[in-house]
Amino acid sequence: MTTTHLVVRGTAVSGGVAQGPAHVLTFTDHVPVTRRTLDPTEVQGELDRLDRALAQAEEDLLSLGKTMAAKVGAEDAEVFAAQALVARDHVLHGQIVTLVRDHHVNVEAAVAEVIDRFTKTFDQIADPYIRERAADIRDVGRRVLAALGQQALANAGAPGTVANDFPDGAILVVDELLPSATASLELGRTRALVTDRGGKFSHTSILARSMRMPAVTGVQDATLKIKNGDHVIVDGVSGVVFVNPGPSVRREYDRLEAELRGYRAELEKLVERAAVTRDGVAITLLANASKLSDTEAAVLYKADGIGLYRTEFGFAVRSAFPTEDDQYEILKRAADRIHPRKIVVRLLDVGGDKELSYFPLPVSRNPSLGQRGMRLLLQQPDILRTQLRAFLRVSADRAVSILLPMVGGVDEIRATRVVLNEVMEELTREGKPFNPQVPLGAMVEVPAAAVMAAVLAREVDFLSLGTNDLVQYVLAADREDDTVASYYRPLHPAVLHLIRSVCDGAGQASRPLTICGEMAGDPANTELLLGLGLREFSVAPGEMLEVKDAIRKADLGQARALADEALGLASADEVETLLARRRATGTAAGGSTGTTAPLA
């Protein structure tokens, strides 16, 4: 097969460079499926596998329908007969065959692509009855993929749908990496990420930065242009991806990788040093975490604590809601590891672009403005109470704080306190210890909360500034939507004015304020954020040393002057130019980030 040499471009979202063999995945219903290009001699065998899998899915559905009819009645079992019709639908079959026969796509990837295409079409239909049929199509897709997987297990020569069968050091190439999909992937085995979709502040980007993994997103048709096994170089600084490059390019990037390793080694010397500005002001530097391994990294980098423990990962790795004891054990291990330093645990934050497969939410025209955060949890009291019980039990002899996600106003805080007090009374009756004075905090990530920060602060013990969502709501630019990526500008003056306002509001109420969004993890922003009034930063463990380096180079007097100048500007371009000019002249807080100029 002819080797294709390509240079493709996207958005650089996580610094560094890496190279290795490509492993290409696509997703259907958040299930990862390996995508590969067929040799012409394999096509007929793949089509035969497809026919067997469709027949198996139809047989299983009809059998299940008969079983359910005997248990619950024929009418309620009709859904399985309807799904069996989908399994032998000639349009569905024809589109899969076309991809396999004409485009030489392996059958698993072809099924995933067609099912995804069908369900997206149904999701856009206004009639709710017809729209809900998308669930039937997704279920059929899962059954066909399961049948193909069984075939692969029976025949070692037939590649299956197993997503983790890629080699260590692979470059993972995916269409989009949603939070619900990451739980099934061993991302620690990969060296870098390349995606078709996603911007600088998408979940893929946040994940890559937290893992210190080079990443380039928004590479159009990456999963089609890059083939399994291609040698790929990912330049996470310039946003360039080289596919099967020549020897001279490989040598140059070998050199760059060595230089970056040396830069990281220099940063490691900061682990034992304090996060103190040049004029002697101590800054609290915390870590963001989603799982126990993040907590281990926070300990390694001598974090002052965990400023944001996202609990969603513990839900995403399961096929049903974790029990109270499950949640207690997970958080207890994390709290014990960081003890005696504090750990701020956030209540489950789902909705919008964060989904759980076993917790379907109502279809919304705009999920980001629908059921999210506390407005969702307060409508799901069982989920809320179970999580609060687990949090409180962990707080008995550990420095635990509870954080409320996506707070819109004081009503949500007060309603949560009612539930919290009821749960405390339950635990008291049961004789289970907890901290009755456990600190309660609110996320400031919608404009209403930012504007009312001084009022919110009087209702809670602390505030956390979540810039990821705040920016998208202030600027009306979805951070997961490539088409409006140019409008998602964290350094927009409107965002900066709100941050200053939140700092002032927290100060008026004498409440601690931590910034925990991605904006805080970029050392290029550190001096400006200090100047706006922030004194607590919570960032991914992999970003801690660079941020600490920027803190240690900052002078608060100069930082305040910088913030005042930025607040007087009219556009994000002007603010970015201001910061770039300071870096270029060596007057900014942030030092070198080991970046390189693009080679292509």
Side-chain angles (χ1 to χ4, degrees), residues 517-583:
E518 288 301 295
M519 192 177 179
D522 187 344
N525 299 333
T526 302
E527 184 184 24
L528 175 60
L529 294 173
L530 289 169
L532 289 172
L534 288 151
R535 297 294 180 266
E536 289 194 10
F537 291 66
S538 189
V539 304
E543 298 167 336
M544 289 188 64
L545 295 183
E546 288 185 277
V547 172
K548 182 185 285 189
D549 186 42
I551 290 170
R552 291 176 57 84
K553 291 175 180 175
D555 175 275
L556 285 188
Q558 294 179 11
R560 292 188 189 99
L562 173 66
D564 289 342
E565 185 175 356
L567 289 170
L569 299 177
S571 71
D573 283 340
E574 293 176 15
V575 176
E576 290 168 3
T577 299
L578 169 65
L579 297 189
R581 185 170 66 245
R582 287 174 69 82
R583 288 195 299 274

Side-chain angles (χ1 to χ4, degrees), residues 136 235 285 388 510 536 561:
D136 294 330
D235 187 331
L285 187 54
L388 286 174
S510 300
E536 289 194 10

Side-chain angles (χ1 to χ4, degrees), residues 70-338:
K71 291 182 178 180
V72 300
E75 184 175 347
D76 289 334
E78 285 180 356
V79 63
F80 299 106
Q83 289 184 356
L85 289 174
V86 173
R88 60 171 181 263
D89 181 82
H90 70 280
V91 177
L92 181 80
H93 180 267
Q95 291 192 18
I96 298 172
V97 168
T98 297
L99 282 173
V100 175
R101 185 186 58 211
D102 298 345
H103 299 279
H104 291 182
V105 174
N106 64 306
V107 66
E108 287 88 2
V111 169
E113 181 174 331
V114 172
I115 292 295
D116 185 58
R117 189 187 305 160
F118 268 58
T119 55
K120 284 180 178 176
T121 299
F122 273 72
D123 284 340
Q124 295 171 0
I125 295 173
D127 187 313
Y129 176 80
I130 298 177
R131 190 170 60 234
E132 288 172 6
R133 301 287 69 77
D136 294 330
I137 296 172
R138 279 193 288 267
D139 194 34
V140 171
R142 284 193 292 266
R143 290 181 184 278
V144 174
L145 288 172
L148 290 167
Q150 291 171 1
Q151 292 178 22
L153 289 174
N155 178 6
T161 61
V162 179
N164 278 328
D165 60 351
F166 49 85
D168 288 342
I171 306 298
L172 189 60
V173 182
V174 297
D175 44 5
E176 185 177 24
L177 197 57
L178 296 175
S180 53
T182 60
S184 59
L185 297 176
E186 294 179 16
L187 292 177
R189 300 173 59 186
T190 65
R191 298 201 64 203
L193 289 173
V194 178
T195 69
D196 288 350
R197 297 188 292 277
K200 189 170 184 179
F201 298 93
S202 65
H203 288 293
T204 300
S205 308
I206 294 171
L207 175 68
R209 288 192 288 272
S210 72
M211 298 183 70
R212 292 166 51 189
M213 180 186 298
V216 177
T217 65
V219 180
Q220 189 172 10
D221 296 329
T223 53
L224 300 178
K225 294 175 180 176
I226 303 173
K227 312 301 181 188
N228 260 7
D230 281 347
H231 187 88
V232 174
I233 296 176
V234 178
D235 187 331
V237 177
S238 64
V240 176
V241 178
F242 299 85
V243 183
N244 298 317
S248 61
V249 175
R250 291 195 190 193
R251 284 195 298 271
E252 178 64 15
Y253 274 92
D254 286 339
R255 181 187 65 79
L256 290 176
E257 282 191 89
E259 287 183 359
L260 287 174
R261 283 194 296 272
Y263 168 69
R264 289 299 306 179
E266 285 298 309
L267 280 181
E268 298 288 343
K269 298 176 182 178
L270 293 177
V271 170
E272 300 296 335
R273 298 179 184 176
V276 179
T277 63
R278 283 195 290 123
D279 49 338
V281 177
I283 304 299
T284 302
L285 187 54
L286 306 159
N288 294 337
S290 298
K291 50 192 178 298
L292 188 62
S293 58
D294 296 331
T295 309
E296 293 288 347
V299 173
L300 176 67
Y301 288 119
K302 303 294 178 70
D304 293 323
I306 301 295
L308 172 63
Y309 192 98
R310 303 180 179 96
T311 56
E312 293 77 46
F313 186 82
F315 286 72
V317 296
R318 289 171 166 78
S319 58
F321 282 106
T323 66
E324 176 187 328
D325 286 341
D326 289 336
Q327 296 183 58
Y328 170 77
E329 289 298 329
I330 292 170
L331 293 176
K332 176 180 176 295
R333 292 174 66 192
D336 284 345
R337 191 67 187 94
I338 203 71

Side-chain angles (χ1 to χ4, degrees), residues 338-365:
I338 203 71
H339 188 74
R341 289 159 287 181
K342 74 174 181 179
I343 179 169
V344 179
V345 289
R346 187 176 69 185
L347 288 165
L348 179 66
D349 185 16
V350 294
D353 54 3
K354 292 177 279 189
E355 302 174 354
L356 296 175
S357 61
Y358 51 86
F359 184 39
L361 298 174
V363 175
S364 173
R365 288 181 180 272

